[in-house]
Amino acid sequence: PQLIYGFNKIPILEQSFADFYDFNEENSILYTGDNLSSAMETAIKMNNQEYKDKFEALKITATDIYNESLQNIKNTLK
């Protein structure tokens, strides 16, 4: 997950994995079961605005995780 957040690349993930790492429909392309091919088709057909929206949502999630981690470190050092 850190590579996805670090490189800001829209991931295609299985739903159960996504839930655990703060990925969602706004910042990722998700699928369940054997629907990977459908998710890949969604990615291929995504227009520029859809990609930009998911990209921005992914950046916000990454920033939120970074800030939470930073706060946890500060709290630990007190």
Side-chain angles (χ1 to χ4, degrees):
Q2 286 78 10
L3 288 174
I4 293 169
Y5 290 125
F7 289 112
N8 289 315
K9 297 297 180 190
I10 308 301
I12 299 173
L13 301 169
E14 206 283 323
Q15 180 72 50
S16 61
F17 178 83
D19 291 340
F20 187 76
Y21 291 102
D22 294 327
F23 295 108
N24 56 51
E25 290 288 338
E26 290 182 15
N27 63 21
S28 307
I29 298 171
L30 305 179
Y31 68 94
T32 56
D34 293 335
N35 294 324
L36 176 58
S37 60
S38 177
M40 294 186 76
E41 183 178 349
T42 298
I44 291 167
K45 292 181 177 181
M46 187 183 304
N47 66 40
N48 288 341
Q49 187 60 50
E50 291 169 324
Y51 183 88
K52 183 179 176 182
D53 292 345
K54 285 192 184 296
F55 177 81
E56 291 300 323
L58 186 64
K59 283 180 23 180
I60 290 168
T61 302
T63 299
D64 290 346
I65 291 170
Y66 172 83
N67 289 333
E68 181 180 349
S69 295
L70 188 60
Q71 189 60 48
N72 289 340
I73 291 170
K74 288 178 182 179
N75 291 341
T76 300
L77 296 175
K78 285 183 180 181

